[in-house]
Amino acid sequence: MFGIPGKQAVTLTPAAAAQIARIMERDGAKGLKVGVKKGGCAGMEYTMDYAHEVDPHDEIVEQDGAVVMIAPMAQMFLFGTEIDYQVSLLEAGFQFRNPNVTESCGCGESIKFDESLSAGQAR
């Protein structure tokens, strides 16, 4: 929908691809659906959920056995994002390196995008 021919909307690090592939196999999911919604102290939050059905409007990214589905309204916000999976002593989780983010909150849970992207687009 908002892509550039020949360029994936998001890329996955090897760690993220491996974790998504494990989730797909363990839970019988067809992939991981990624989106954004209004919320958090900076204004927007990422959403992630198991996808058991493929929405024909989703952008599909396949890499190393992992499938990521990007909701239509999130595509312009996520274009160019690298998704990583990191494990530390205290926590494990997906990390987003998104060039479209202009601010994030102190806790790292919410983000703000350039005003030209978010003007009435995310709901």
Side-chain angles (χ1 to χ4, degrees), residues 58-82:
D58 287 348
E59 177 77 21
I60 308 296
V61 174
E62 297 181 67
Q63 185 179 320
D64 301 325
V67 177
V68 173
M69 301 165 196
I70 304 171
M73 291 307 295
Q75 292 171 15
M76 72 178 122
F77 295 105
L78 296 175
F79 194 79
T81 297
E82 178 185 66

Side-chain angles (χ1 to χ4, degrees), residues 86-105:
Q86 297 181 354
V87 178
S88 72
L89 290 174
L90 297 176
E91 62 186 0
F94 290 99
Q95 304 291 317
F96 291 77
R97 293 184 191 100
N98 187 336
N100 304 306
V101 170
T102 58
E103 294 178 36
S104 62
C105 67

Side-chain angles (χ1 to χ4, degrees), residues 13-99:
T13 64
Q19 181 64 19
I20 292 167
R22 278 193 293 273
I23 288 169
M24 290 170 59
E25 183 177 329
R26 182 189 70 205
D27 297 321
K30 293 190 177 184
L32 188 66
K33 185 151 185 169
V34 179
V36 294
K37 68 176 185 174
K38 289 185 178 184
C41 49
M44 303 283 282
E45 298 174 317
Y46 293 112
T47 62
M48 299 182 85
D49 202 0
Y50 304 113
H52 295 285
E53 299 295 325
V54 177
D55 184 320
H57 300 291
D58 287 348
E59 177 77 21
I60 308 296
V61 174
E62 297 181 67
Q63 185 179 320
D64 301 325
V67 177
V68 173
M69 301 165 196
I70 304 171
M73 291 307 295
Q75 292 171 15
M76 72 178 122
F77 295 105
L78 296 175
F79 194 79
T81 297
E82 178 185 66
I83 301 174
D84 191 13
Y85 186 78
Q86 297 181 354
V87 178
S88 72
L89 290 174
L90 297 176
E91 62 186 0
F94 290 99
Q95 304 291 317
F96 291 77
R97 293 184 191 100
N98 187 336

